[in-house]
Amino acid sequence: MYLSRFLSLHALWVTVSSVMQHYPSVWGHYDVCKTQIYTEEGKIWDYMACQPEARDMIKYVKVTLDPPDITCGDPPETFCAMGNPYMCNNECDATTNELAHPPELMFDLEGRHPSTFWQSTTWKDYPKPLQVNITLSWNKTIELTDNIVITFESGRPDQMILEKSLDYGRTWQPYQYYATDCLDAFHMDPKSVKDLSQHTVLEIICTEEYSTGYMTNSKIIHFEIKDRFAFFAGPRLHNMASLYGQLDTTKKLRDFFTITDLRIRLLRPATGEIYVDEQHLARYFYAISDIRVYGRCKCNLHATGCKEENKKLFCECEHNTTGPDCGKCKKNYQGRPWSPGSYLPIPKGTANICIPSISSIGNPPKFDRIWPNISSLEVSKPNQANVCDKELLQCQNGGTCLKNMRCQCPPAYTGILCEKLKCERDPGGCSQNSGNMAVSHGPLLPLTALLGVTGLFIF
């Protein structure tokens, strides 16, 4: 009995596993770009929207500091311990490994004890502001998938701005303001993400939640990505279909979670009090032990892989696309304007693959038109790319459109839209009678009409 039950469970598991392998994107992960399916015409490709797996993007970051000489240790200086701000016998010395605190220690695996961290110079030039810009660059478009987390070894700053760029650092927009007093620092009322809603999720807020001053148990600052996702996907992010739908149809929302660079602007160090103690300026500095940025390469839903070459990230593009972000069609695959993939309809989305242009076919007809589908090049089902319909891409010479996928031609005609006589293939050519075997039902559409249809596929 037990063996029978085991075999039944095993058979069920094999069946479930088989189904999951055959439909890998059924859970909405978009982790497969295409699968082979069987139709009455044989085996063809079924194309789907796809995206790379989320990963720790800090592994690929380049960091720059402004001013560049803001890191402590050159010349050596002493600073006060965080736990006891009046114990000021700690030393920062760039020439000694154990006492150095260079920028790369913001991203290293914690191996030394105590924690490794980057540290700025102290506020010895007070009342001149102690300000630092930390810029994180990827030279690649990134889609954020989890909270940005910054861990301080000093007190959390009294004033700080997190900024983002979408154009590789040419322009910057604020992501969030942080302050012990938002009204005084930035002339903004304090808010938290919990005060937002679906309609105000893009609002730039100032929060006092992460600026509690000089305390050893308050080290972390968040920029809350998941809490914003939750407005659409639910508190535990179970309804990802709703989130994907919103991202698909709202460009501003999609752009909000997209970056090429981040900038941490440290404007005022933690003081823990209203007034700066000018007798103990070695208490005031910035120190960061860890920065976490999780996301995925933006590949416009045309790739599941993203590789690093020569310290640059590139999407491993599919769907006949190319470019760092799969942002254009390959040569000879410009049969309609490039378009990003779409998350909709859930769960497979729409691939919007690039389709062959006339130059890729050989022996083209004399008229100038775009071929919407070439089955011999494995794009016989380009995912919502209609070969024919009842309005603009109608089958010629009495052909019948079957499910928008192909034209069923009369005996005398062939071609994608039944636009060619079969007898043209014969050595003897077409006789006068052969051209009368069928009556033309209208001329081929001009290029401009076909281009008009492409708007149906633009995301």
Side-chain angles (χ1 to χ4, degrees):
M1 183 178 69
Y2 293 108
L3 179 61
S4 174
R5 185 175 299 174
F6 172 78
L7 291 175
S8 298
L9 289 172
H10 178 71
L12 177 62
W13 169 248
V14 170
T15 302
V16 171
S17 299
S18 174
V19 170
M20 290 174 67
Q21 288 175 5
H22 192 64
Y23 298 103
S25 62
V26 73
W27 310 112
H29 297 308
Y30 300 94
D31 52 359
V32 174
C33 293
K34 63 182 180 181
T35 58
Q36 285 191 324
I37 62 173
Y38 292 88
T39 69
E40 59 185 18
E41 297 179 349
K43 190 164 60 173
I44 64 171
W45 285 114
D46 182 29
Y47 291 90
M48 295 164 283
C50 52
Q51 62 187 5
E53 185 180 359
R55 62 175 86 173
D56 181 3
M57 299 309 301
I58 286 298
K59 296 177 181 178
Y60 313 98
V61 75
K62 176 185 176 183
V63 60
T64 55
L65 270 60
D66 182 30
D69 59 350
I70 195 66
T71 300
C72 70
D74 186 18
E77 63 177 315
T78 57
F79 61 94
C80 304
M82 182 175 173
N84 185 346
Y86 294 99
M87 183 184 295
C88 301
N89 57 358
N90 293 297
E91 188 174 3
C92 180
D93 185 349
T95 63
T96 305
N97 284 339
E98 289 75 14
L99 301 176
H101 298 283
E104 54 265 29
L105 295 185
M106 286 186 271
F107 315 111
D108 68 320
L109 295 173
E110 301 292 342
R112 296 209 315 250
H113 184 77
S115 299
T116 56
F117 52 91
W118 164 80
Q119 184 172 312
S120 74
T121 58
T122 59
W123 205 357
K124 54 184 177 292
D125 293 331
Y126 178 86
K128 180 182 176 181
L130 179 63
Q131 298 183 346
V132 187
N133 285 345
I134 302 171
T135 302
L136 312 179
S137 303
W138 284 271
N139 199 28
K140 175 75 181 76
T141 312
I142 304 298
E143 295 174 327
L144 299 173
T145 59
D146 205 337
N147 293 355
I148 297 169
V149 182
I150 306 169
T151 304
F152 284 83
E153 284 302 310
S154 61
R156 295 184 291 192
D158 283 354
Q159 296 176 17
M160 177 187 127
I161 308 174
L162 181 65
E163 296 179 327
K164 61 169 283 188
S165 176
L166 257 173
D167 55 10
Y168 305 96
R170 288 187 287 272
T171 61
W172 295 91
Q173 302 86 41
Y175 239 168
Q176 193 149 292
Y177 295 87
Y178 301 81
T180 52
D181 189 332
C182 286
L183 200 58
D184 178 65
F186 301 115
H187 309 291
M188 300 173 68
D189 291 324
K191 283 188 178 182
S192 72
V193 175
K194 296 178 179 64
D195 298 320
L196 302 177
S197 66
Q198 283 191 9
H199 302 292
T200 60
V201 69
L202 303 183
E203 181 182 343
I204 308 302
I205 65 171
C206 178
T207 179
E208 297 175 358
E209 222 174 322
Y210 304 107
S211 304
T212 52
Y214 214 99
M215 297 171 61
T216 56
N217 61 342
S218 301
K219 294 184 175 184
I220 295 175
I221 283 180
H222 284 264
F223 177 69
E224 304 91 340
I225 297 290
K226 283 191 170 181
D227 285 349
R228 289 173 167 85
F229 284 168
F231 289 123
F232 306 100
R236 297 186 180 180
L237 305 184
H238 286 166
N239 188 9
M240 291 301 289
S242 173
L243 173 63
Y244 283 140
Q246 291 293 331
L247 292 173
D248 210 63
T249 55
T250 312
K251 185 177 185 300
K252 287 185 177 180
L253 182 66
R254 194 166 62 250
D255 286 349
F256 184 82
F257 299 110
T258 304
I259 62 170
T260 58
D261 305 76
L262 283 172
R263 185 162 67 185
I264 304 166
R265 295 183 58 196
L266 306 174
L267 303 180
R268 181 182 170 91
T271 60
E273 51 201 18
I274 298 176
Y275 301 104
V276 173
D277 183 356
E278 296 187 45
Q279 302 301 315
H280 297 89
L281 293 177
R283 295 175 55 193
Y284 310 119
F285 55 89
Y286 306 106
I288 296 177
S289 62
D290 191 45
I291 299 177
R292 296 183 186 180
V293 180
Y294 280 88
R296 61 170 56 92
C297 294
K298 179 181 179 180
C299 300
N300 286 295
L301 295 178
H302 289 312
T304 58
C306 190
K307 60 183 179 180
E308 185 181 21
E309 288 183 2
N310 300 322
K311 297 185 177 180
K312 289 186 178 180
L313 288 169
F314 294 91
C315 296
E316 297 180 280
C317 301
E318 300 199 40
H319 300 160
N320 304 321
T321 62
T322 188
D325 300 345
C326 306
K328 60 182 180 180
C329 293
K330 286 183 178 179
K331 183 181 179 182
N332 298 330
Y333 285 89
Q334 295 164 349
R336 67 166 182 250
W338 174 90
S339 179
S342 169
Y343 286 115
L344 301 175
I346 303 294
K348 291 186 176 183
T350 305
N352 289 332
I353 72 169
C354 292
I355 60 178
S357 50
I358 191 171
S359 60
S360 68
I361 300 169
N363 297 322
K366 294 180 181 179
F367 47 83
D368 185 14
R369 69 177 296 276
I370 293 173
W371 293 74
N373 176 33
I374 305 298
S375 59
S376 64
L377 296 177
E378 296 184 332
V379 291
S380 58
K381 189 181 180 185
N383 217 342
Q384 309 302 322
N386 292 352
V387 172
C388 54
D389 57 41
K390 295 179 181 179
E391 297 178 2
L392 294 177
L393 290 172
Q394 69 265 39
C395 301
Q396 306 300 310
N397 297 307
T400 303
C401 182
L402 298 179
K403 299 181 180 179
N404 300 113
M405 295 303 297
R406 66 183 182 90
C407 291
Q408 183 174 355
C409 301
Y413 287 91
T414 185
I416 299 298
L417 297 178
C418 307
E419 74 279 1
K420 294 187 291 186
L421 285 165
K422 284 185 178 179
C423 59
E424 291 177 354
R425 297 179 177 179
D426 299 333
C430 296
S431 65
Q432 185 175 359
N433 291 332
S434 63
N436 295 325
M437 285 191 292
V439 180
S440 175
H441 287 257
L444 286 173
L445 290 176
L447 177 64
T448 52
L450 287 169
L451 287 176
V453 180
T454 63
L456 297 172
F457 308 109
I458 295 175
F459 169 62

